[in-house]
Amino acid sequence: MARIFITGSADGLGQLAAKSLIEHGHKVVLHARNAGRGRDAIKNTPEAESVLTGDLSKIEETKNLAREANKLGAFDAVIHNAGAYQASAKEVFAVNTLAPYILTCLIQKPKRLIYLSSGMHLQGRSKLDSFKTDSSRISYSDSKLHVLMLCMAVARKWPDVYANALDPGWVPTKMGGRSAPDDLQKGYETQVWLAASNDEKAKVSGRYFFHQKERHHNPEADDVLLQETFLNLCKEITGISFPHV
Ligand SMILES: NC(=O)c1ccc[n+]([C@@H]2O[C@H](COP(=O)([O-])OP(=O)(O)OC[C@H]3O[C@@H](n4cnc5c(N)ncnc54)[C@H](OP(=O)(O)O)[C@@H]3O)[C@@H](O)[C@H]2O)c1
């Protein structure tokens, strides 16, 4: 049995992954943006161990969320699932790029880390030259490339952790919209598998998956120099260094 923390689990793929993990006998700690959504999260998934709150568009709330998560003790896996799409560039950047960086740095290192990217990262650009001075140019696709860069950097720097990213497909959640064409169940199965399965194929690191199969990703994410620049910029913006051990 594993203990898993899932960001953005009041709704959508985060909630579905939480339910599936609990059904498989695992313990899950939920996360929601505020107390009201926290109540919704527990109402939707009452079997969860508990729910933590914090608005990931605010750096201080994200840091506090990490402190609250650490108070609950170590997790076997953390799924960085929360994401913003139809929001300002500033919010997309804070929620999709900075929050996974902050939480990865500050939450006690789990055995497995899973990052929700998107097929749209293929159209993204890292924009590291203006990333610190002008986040208004960061698109959703850019942010999903950033989270993939973070995942690949983590996989390289922490060989004792399985760190992987995935594209859930275009699925009918609040974000994906009702007419999204891909299979909703397949949209959460990969993160559940990566978080808790003993399948040797899930015990890998530095991979990008679509429906439990490795898929081509933007090679910029594997560029060590770009990764280091990315981590340094995140450090300058958040005041948090990436821990090397
Ligand atoms: N759906 C798709 O087609 C699709 C495709 C590719 C990738 N993805 C990725 O998959 C992940 C899950 O998406 P989804 O489809 O399940 O979307 P969703 O239904 O909109 O759920 C997103 C979750 O993130 C939470 N969240 C958003 N902004 C937040 C903030 N500032 N602070 C705290 N929590 C916040 C939401 O909270 P509230 O419920 O309170 O808003 C919600 O629980 C995202 O990272 C997304 O980018 C989705």
Side-chain angles (χ1 to χ4, degrees):
M1 192 183 78
R3 192 158 174 265
I4 297 135
F5 178 50
I6 309 176
T7 66
S9 38
D11 210 336
L13 294 175
Q15 182 197 132
L16 291 165
K19 284 181 181 297
S20 173
L21 284 161
I22 291 167
E23 269 167 34
H24 286 90
H26 303 294
K27 282 189 157 192
V28 172
V29 173
L30 305 169
H31 159 253
R33 65 170 75 226
N34 56 35
R37 291 298 284 148
R39 283 191 290 277
D40 294 339
I42 282 289
K43 202 168 142 203
N44 292 332
T45 313
E47 315 83 359
E49 183 186 311
S50 57
V51 60
L52 296 176
T53 55
D55 184 340
L56 301 181
S57 66
K58 300 184 174 123
I59 288 178
E60 287 311 313
E61 286 203 28
T62 307
K63 290 182 183 175
N64 188 56
L65 173 64
R67 281 191 285 274
E68 294 301 314
N70 287 335
K71 282 187 198 160
L72 297 179
F75 290 97
D76 297 295
V78 175
I79 305 179
H80 293 279
N81 164 83
Y85 178 58
Q86 281 178 318
S88 68
K90 199 169 165 241
E91 187 170 339
V92 166
F93 180 61
V95 175
N96 298 2
T97 302
L98 295 180
Y101 171 83
I102 295 169
L103 297 176
T104 300
C105 293
L106 296 184
I107 293 180
Q108 192 183 330
K109 201 199 276 181
K111 299 187 191 90
R112 304 184 189 203
L113 282 159
I114 297 100
Y115 297 89
L116 270 284
S117 180
S118 161
M120 285 174 72
H121 91 273
L122 290 165
Q123 287 103 58
R125 288 176 46 236
S126 56
K127 297 185 185 154
L128 298 181
D129 43 346
S130 62
F131 162 127
K132 195 181 157 198
T133 48
D134 186 11
S135 63
S136 69
R137 292 181 56 239
I138 303 293
S139 68
Y140 175 82
S141 301
D142 300 337
S143 73
K144 291 297 169 179
L145 173 59
H146 292 154
V147 83
L148 190 54
M149 292 173 88
L150 171 65
C151 172
M152 297 311 183
V154 172
R156 176 172 59 82
K157 286 175 172 282
W158 290 351
D160 51 338
V161 169
Y162 300 134
N164 295 290
L166 65 108
D167 168 19
W170 180 10
V171 291
T173 58
K174 193 165 60 187
M175 182 184 290
R178 278 196 202 151
S179 51
D182 289 332
D183 185 325
L184 185 58
Q185 186 172 338
K186 287 202 179 340
Y188 63 84
E189 279 176 350
T190 304
Q191 43 281 48
V192 165
W193 174 70
L194 287 169
S197 167
N198 281 324
D199 183 349
E200 291 303 316
K201 287 182 185 153
K203 295 201 257 175
V204 294
S205 201
R207 315 284 174 95
Y208 172 70
F209 289 93
F210 175 72
H211 296 177
Q212 299 186 18
K213 298 232 162 29
E214 261 195 77
R215 181 162 264 204
H216 166 75
H217 62 272
N218 184 337
E220 255 192 54
D222 303 319
D223 185 315
V224 171
L225 279 179
L226 286 180
Q227 286 174 8
E228 290 299 319
T229 308
F230 171 79
L231 294 178
N232 281 329
L233 287 166
C234 287
K235 176 184 164 187
E236 285 173 26
I237 296 169
T238 63
I240 301 162
S241 304
F242 188 87
H244 289 282
V245 285

